[in-house]
């Protein structure tokens, strides 16, 4: 899974911040690593240097292999909280999306447990063809 970190002109990004954000995303979404090809983070400070409540914004977009992209965002007082909120929302969205695929009427989850057989090409092909 590739993690890209972006920001607008009001947010100063350095290598340490990028490494921290990438690490947080990889740690939280590790169980989906076989499914995710790329995750893009976008940080924004809506009030720039003026300050204010919940002016830090993080949006996150996940590119899933063979599926539509998912995007979530979160506003908070700090970038840490904004990232945590956005990643948590994305994790729930992926769970919900994959649950819908795995638990369609008349189907049982792959291998008895969601995401258990994502490494198997036969079951991935079956899953993708069931979406068409």
């Amino acid at each position: 899974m590739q993690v890209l970190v972006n920001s607008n002109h009001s947010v100063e990004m350095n290598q340490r911040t990028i490494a921290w954000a990438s690490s947080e995303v990889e740690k939280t979404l590790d169980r989906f690593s076989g499914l995710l090809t790329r995750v893009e983070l976008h940080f924004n400070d809506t009030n720039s240097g003026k300050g204010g409540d919940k002016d830090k914004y993080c949006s996150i977009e996940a590119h899933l292999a063979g599926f539509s992209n998912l995007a979530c965002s979160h506003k908070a007082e700090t970038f840490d909280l904004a990232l945590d909120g956005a990643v948590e929302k994305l994790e729930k969205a992926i769970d919900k999306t994959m649950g819908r695929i795995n638990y369609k009427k008349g189907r049982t989850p792959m291998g008895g447990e969601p995401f258990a057989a994502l490494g198997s090409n036969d079951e991935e092909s079956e899953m993708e063809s069931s979406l068409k």
Side-chain angles (χ1 to χ4, degrees):
M1 159 181 41
Q2 180 184 22
V3 179
L4 302 173
V5 181
N6 303 298
S7 67
N8 70 354
H9 65 283
S10 66
V11 180
E12 185 180 319
M13 284 287 159
N14 57 38
Q15 291 301 323
R16 188 176 140 209
T17 305
I18 292 169
W20 161 79
S22 297
S23 172
E24 289 296 310
V25 169
E26 289 171 353
K27 181 174 53 175
T28 305
L29 301 177
D30 183 53
R31 66 187 178 118
F32 304 114
S33 62
L35 183 65
L36 296 168
T37 57
R38 185 173 74 229
V39 176
E40 295 182 39
L41 295 168
H42 301 275
F43 290 101
N44 187 4
D45 186 345
T46 55
N47 290 338
S48 193
K50 298 176 189 174
D53 289 345
K54 295 189 177 186
D55 68 333
K56 308 299 190 258
Y57 178 82
C58 177
S59 65
I60 186 168
E61 183 178 352
H63 298 262
L64 292 95
F67 300 98
S68 298
N69 298 342
L70 294 174
C72 297
S73 62
H74 191 76
K75 284 185 176 182
E77 294 80 22
T78 66
F79 286 116
D80 292 3
L81 295 173
L83 176 63
D84 289 345
V87 172
E88 184 178 316
K89 288 178 183 179
L90 181 63
E91 183 179 26
K92 288 178 183 179
I94 295 171
D95 264 337
K96 185 176 181 178
T97 300
M98 297 313 297
R100 286 181 181 157
I101 293 165
N102 289 334
Y103 292 103
K104 280 190 172 189
K105 187 175 181 179
R107 285 194 66 187
T108 58
M110 297 180 297
E113 206 175 304
F115 315 114
L118 282 177
S120 167
N121 289 338
D122 295 336
E123 291 193 24
E124 265 185 67
S125 300
E126 178 188 330
M127 185 170 56
E128 288 174 6
S129 65
S130 71
L131 292 175
K132 295 178 183 177

